[in-house]
Short mmCIF file of all heavy atoms in Angstrom, two decimals:
data_model
loop_
_atom_site.label_atom_id
_atom_site.label_comp_id
_atom_site.label_asym_id
_atom_site.label_seq_id
_atom_site.Cartn_x
_atom_site.Cartn_y
_atom_site.Cartn_z
N MET A 457 83.84 90.62 135.92
CA MET A 457 83.55 89.46 135.07
C MET A 457 82.85 88.33 135.84
O MET A 457 81.96 87.67 135.32
CB MET A 457 84.84 88.93 134.43
CG MET A 457 84.50 88.20 133.15
SD MET A 457 85.74 87.12 132.50
CE MET A 457 87.14 88.13 132.24
N GLN A 458 83.25 88.17 137.11
CA GLN A 458 82.66 87.07 137.88
C GLN A 458 81.17 87.25 138.13
O GLN A 458 80.47 86.29 138.45
CB GLN A 458 83.40 86.90 139.22
CG GLN A 458 84.88 86.56 139.09
CD GLN A 458 85.15 85.52 138.01
OE1 GLN A 458 84.42 84.54 137.89
NE2 GLN A 458 86.18 85.72 137.20
N GLU A 459 80.67 88.48 137.99
CA GLU A 459 79.23 88.71 138.20
C GLU A 459 78.41 88.52 136.94
O GLU A 459 77.19 88.63 136.95
CB GLU A 459 79.01 90.15 138.73
CG GLU A 459 79.46 90.31 140.15
CD GLU A 459 79.35 91.76 140.60
OE1 GLU A 459 78.59 92.54 140.00
OE2 GLU A 459 80.08 92.10 141.56
N ASN A 460 79.09 88.28 135.85
CA ASN A 460 78.37 88.14 134.57
C ASN A 460 77.51 86.87 134.60
O ASN A 460 78.00 85.79 134.94
CB ASN A 460 79.40 88.05 133.43
CG ASN A 460 78.74 88.04 132.08
OD1 ASN A 460 78.19 87.04 131.65
ND2 ASN A 460 78.78 89.18 131.41
N PRO A 461 76.23 87.00 134.23
CA PRO A 461 75.35 85.82 134.32
C PRO A 461 75.83 84.63 133.51
O PRO A 461 75.73 83.48 133.95
CB PRO A 461 74.01 86.34 133.79
CG PRO A 461 74.27 87.68 133.20
CD PRO A 461 75.54 88.20 133.78
N ARG A 462 76.37 84.89 132.34
CA ARG A 462 76.82 83.74 131.54
C ARG A 462 78.09 83.14 132.12
O ARG A 462 78.25 81.91 132.15
CB ARG A 462 77.06 84.15 130.09
CG ARG A 462 77.50 82.96 129.24
CD ARG A 462 77.21 83.17 127.81
NE ARG A 462 77.59 82.05 126.98
CZ ARG A 462 77.78 82.13 125.68
NH1 ARG A 462 77.61 83.30 125.07
NH2 ARG A 462 78.11 81.06 124.96
N VAL A 463 78.98 84.01 132.57
CA VAL A 463 80.22 83.49 133.18
C VAL A 463 79.84 82.61 134.38
O VAL A 463 80.40 81.52 134.57
CB VAL A 463 81.14 84.66 133.60
CG1 VAL A 463 82.33 84.15 134.41
CG2 VAL A 463 81.62 85.43 132.37
N LYS A 464 78.87 83.10 135.15
CA LYS A 464 78.44 82.32 136.33
C LYS A 464 77.86 80.98 135.88
O LYS A 464 78.15 79.93 136.45
CB LYS A 464 77.38 83.10 137.10
CG LYS A 464 77.94 84.15 138.02
CD LYS A 464 76.87 84.50 139.04
CE LYS A 464 76.77 85.95 139.27
NZ LYS A 464 75.61 86.45 139.89
N SER A 465 77.03 81.04 134.86
CA SER A 465 76.38 79.81 134.43
C SER A 465 77.40 78.82 133.84
O SER A 465 77.29 77.61 134.02
CB SER A 465 75.26 80.15 133.44
OG SER A 465 75.37 79.44 132.27
N LEU A 466 78.43 79.35 133.18
CA LEU A 466 79.45 78.45 132.61
C LEU A 466 80.23 77.72 133.69
O LEU A 466 80.76 76.63 133.46
CB LEU A 466 80.41 79.23 131.70
CG LEU A 466 79.82 79.73 130.38
CD1 LEU A 466 80.88 80.43 129.54
CD2 LEU A 466 79.20 78.59 129.58
N LYS A 467 80.27 78.31 134.87
CA LYS A 467 80.98 77.67 135.99
C LYS A 467 80.31 76.33 136.35
O LYS A 467 80.94 75.45 136.92
CB LYS A 467 80.94 78.57 137.23
CG LYS A 467 81.82 79.79 137.11
CD LYS A 467 82.86 79.80 138.24
CE LYS A 467 83.81 80.97 138.14
NZ LYS A 467 84.83 80.88 137.11
N THR A 468 79.03 76.24 136.04
CA THR A 468 78.30 75.03 136.42
C THR A 468 78.32 73.96 135.32
O THR A 468 77.77 72.88 135.48
CB THR A 468 76.82 75.37 136.71
OG1 THR A 468 76.21 75.77 135.46
CG2 THR A 468 76.69 76.50 137.72
N LYS A 469 78.93 74.27 134.19
CA LYS A 469 78.86 73.35 133.04
C LYS A 469 79.95 72.28 133.09
O LYS A 469 81.00 72.47 133.70
CB LYS A 469 79.02 74.14 131.73
CG LYS A 469 78.01 75.25 131.54
CD LYS A 469 76.70 74.75 131.02
CE LYS A 469 75.74 75.90 130.87
NZ LYS A 469 74.40 75.54 130.53
N GLU A 470 79.66 71.19 132.40
CA GLU A 470 80.65 70.11 132.26
C GLU A 470 81.56 70.44 131.09
O GLU A 470 81.10 70.61 129.96
CB GLU A 470 79.94 68.78 131.98
CG GLU A 470 79.07 68.28 133.12
CD GLU A 470 79.91 67.79 134.30
OE1 GLU A 470 81.12 67.53 134.12
OE2 GLU A 470 79.35 67.69 135.41
N ARG A 471 82.87 70.49 131.35
CA ARG A 471 83.79 70.93 130.33
C ARG A 471 84.33 69.78 129.48
O ARG A 471 85.21 69.97 128.64
CB ARG A 471 84.91 71.75 130.96
CG ARG A 471 84.36 73.06 131.48
CD ARG A 471 85.36 73.93 132.15
NE ARG A 471 84.81 75.28 132.21
CZ ARG A 471 85.20 76.30 131.44
NH1 ARG A 471 86.16 76.13 130.57
NH2 ARG A 471 84.63 77.48 131.55
N TYR A 472 83.84 68.56 129.76
CA TYR A 472 84.15 67.40 128.92
C TYR A 472 82.82 66.75 128.58
O TYR A 472 81.86 66.85 129.34
CB TYR A 472 85.05 66.43 129.70
CG TYR A 472 85.54 65.26 128.90
CD1 TYR A 472 86.31 65.44 127.75
CD2 TYR A 472 85.22 63.95 129.29
CE1 TYR A 472 86.75 64.35 127.01
CE2 TYR A 472 85.68 62.85 128.55
CZ TYR A 472 86.44 63.07 127.41
OH TYR A 472 86.86 61.99 126.67
N HIS A 473 82.76 66.11 127.42
CA HIS A 473 81.44 65.67 126.96
C HIS A 473 80.87 64.47 127.74
O HIS A 473 79.69 64.16 127.61
CB HIS A 473 81.47 65.37 125.45
CG HIS A 473 82.17 64.08 125.11
ND1 HIS A 473 81.64 63.15 124.25
CD2 HIS A 473 83.37 63.58 125.51
CE1 HIS A 473 82.47 62.14 124.12
NE2 HIS A 473 83.52 62.37 124.86
N LYS A 474 81.71 63.84 128.54
CA LYS A 474 81.19 62.73 129.35
C LYS A 474 81.39 63.02 130.83
O LYS A 474 82.38 63.66 131.21
CB LYS A 474 81.90 61.44 128.98
CG LYS A 474 81.49 60.96 127.59
CD LYS A 474 81.92 59.55 127.34
CE LYS A 474 81.31 59.09 126.02
NZ LYS A 474 82.12 58.08 125.36
N ASP A 475 80.46 62.57 131.64
CA ASP A 475 80.63 62.80 133.08
C ASP A 475 81.53 61.71 133.67
O ASP A 475 82.04 60.84 132.95
CB ASP A 475 79.27 62.90 133.79
CG ASP A 475 78.48 61.60 133.67
OD1 ASP A 475 79.10 60.55 133.36
OD2 ASP A 475 77.25 61.63 133.86
N LYS A 476 81.68 61.77 135.00
CA LYS A 476 82.64 60.86 135.64
C LYS A 476 82.29 59.40 135.43
O LYS A 476 83.14 58.52 135.40
CB LYS A 476 82.72 61.17 137.15
CG LYS A 476 83.45 62.46 137.38
CD LYS A 476 83.75 62.66 138.86
CE LYS A 476 84.22 64.06 139.11
NZ LYS A 476 83.17 65.07 139.21
#
Side-chain angles (χ1 to χ4, degrees):
M457 205 197 301
Q458 298 318 317
E459 288 175 21
N460 185 284
R462 181 157 181 200
V463 172
K464 278 199 223 163
S465 127
L466 290 183
K467 289 239 177 285
T468 67
K469 303 278 179 187
E470 295 289 342
R471 291 179 162 254
Y472 185 60
H473 74 133
K474 289 194 172 152
D475 62 19
K476 287 190 192 81

